[in-house]
Amino acid sequence: MASLLTKDKISHKIALDILELVAQSPDAKIGLPTGRTPEALYKYLVSLSREKKVDWTKAKFFGLDEYINAPNAKTFKFYLEKNFYQPLKIDRNSCFNPIDIEDYDAFIKAQGGLDLTILGIGQNGHIAFNEPPCVKHTWTHCIELAASTREANKNFFESLGKVPERAVTMGIETLLSSKKIILLAFGEKKHEILKDALDGKVRAENPASYLQLHKNLSVFTDFGYET
Ligand code: PGA
């Protein structure tokens, strides 16, 4: 039986893959997730970039989603600032967020489209903040957060009541338009929904199942899911 990679080892490997992409294509456009899943990935991106003196100056970064009406310190913009942009002194003119741009999809397209998008998965199957049920034909839009998502994210806030009720998110089509997608799922809690997303029927009740339609998807888990 193949030995399992830990979250830490996977994060290290993906960080190296991203650095390789940027070495090959310095002007890469990258969709960036937030939350618990990519924390170690950002840690390695920062340390390895410093070690290898990576030049990020031509790359562009696109946040996947954002809360509506969250205090600044709780926004995903702030998360990316703290974990990635600020430590690497990335030019903020190269960093974009769906809440600041009127037509995010047209904007992304005008930049040449996403080369790589990193995704986590919610316990209800959401990718970015595309909550179930979710039709495939969605571009960047506002959504109401699922009760289970607000519950899952309440520890980032003072209480459940302070978790925003709405957010803006790249849509399923936005995500599928990325040339490459890397899906990360860590912890047994994600096992069942991930298995359903990859082996079950493609359907609105599990938004991550739309990833089956993508031609260049890589999935990494620390719980031994085999595709
Ligand atoms: P998490 O969230 O990384 O905090 O588990 C994943 C997601 O909701 O997409």
Side-chain angles (χ1 to χ4, degrees):
M1 196 176 124
S3 64
L4 277 182
L5 284 182
T6 60
K7 172 178 175 173
D8 203 61
K9 288 222 160 61
I10 294 168
S11 303
H12 185 263
K13 181 210 160 358
I14 304 299
L16 286 173
D17 289 352
I18 294 174
L19 298 188
E20 176 65 24
L21 169 76
V22 174
Q24 302 286 324
S25 313
D27 63 347
K29 322 293 182 297
I30 306 175
L32 293 177
T34 52
R36 284 156 280 237
T37 302
E39 278 167 357
L41 170 63
Y42 290 118
K43 181 186 82 178
Y44 282 119
L45 272 176
V46 170
S47 59
L48 292 168
S49 295
R50 284 180 178 151
E51 198 181 302
K52 296 173 185 288
K53 305 205 185 336
V54 174
D55 179 9
W56 290 101
T57 55
K58 294 195 180 70
K60 291 192 173 141
F61 307 96
F62 299 83
L64 305 183
D65 45 15
E66 185 58 278
Y67 289 120
I68 294 173
N69 285 337
N72 184 46
K74 307 290 181 190
T75 61
F76 292 154
K77 218 154 112 170
F78 186 85
Y79 173 108
L80 289 173
E81 181 71 30
K82 188 173 100 198
N83 291 293
F84 186 51
Y85 303 148
Q86 197 273 332
L88 291 178
K89 298 188 174 51
I90 287 178
D91 180 357
R92 304 314 191 272
N93 293 317
S94 303
C95 308
F96 308 103
N97 182 287
I99 213 159
D100 295 331
I101 294 174
E102 200 169 320
D103 189 340
Y104 205 42
D105 294 287
F107 181 78
I108 291 170
K109 204 168 167 200
Q111 305 295 314
L114 295 166
D115 295 297
L116 170 67
T117 298
I118 317 286
L119 292 176
I121 180 172
Q123 282 178 59
N124 64 354
H126 74 207
I127 43 176
F129 266 150
N130 292 281
E131 303 282 31
C134 166
V135 295
K136 174 172 176 276
H137 193 68
T138 48
W139 297 91
T140 303
H141 62 299
C142 294
I143 51 94
E144 199 165 306
L145 290 165
S148 62
T149 299
R150 296 184 65 241
E151 179 68 31
N153 288 356
K154 75 175 179 203
N155 289 347
F156 290 109
F157 292 82
E158 284 153 33
S159 64
L160 179 60
K162 302 260 182 182
V163 183
E165 294 185 346
R166 303 185 73 225
V168 53
T169 180
M170 287 185 184
I172 298 294
E173 298 285 6
T174 320
L175 299 173
L176 292 180
S177 73
S178 179
K179 293 183 189 82
K180 179 170 176 58
I181 296 177
I182 294 175
L183 174 65
L184 302 174
F186 297 137
E188 271 296 330
K189 280 194 293 197
K190 305 284 177 76
H191 197 162
E192 207 175 308
I193 194 74
L194 180 80
K195 186 167 169 40
D196 182 73
L198 300 177
D199 296 343
K201 228 173 124 198
V202 176
R203 64 196 198 286
E205 288 68 30
N206 187 345
S209 67
Y210 293 118
L211 294 173
Q212 289 182 35
L213 307 174
H214 198 273
K215 298 278 183 290
N216 193 358
L217 168 73
S218 302
V219 182
F220 294 88
T221 80
D222 61 352
F223 46 75
Y225 176 81
E226 293 189 12
T227 48

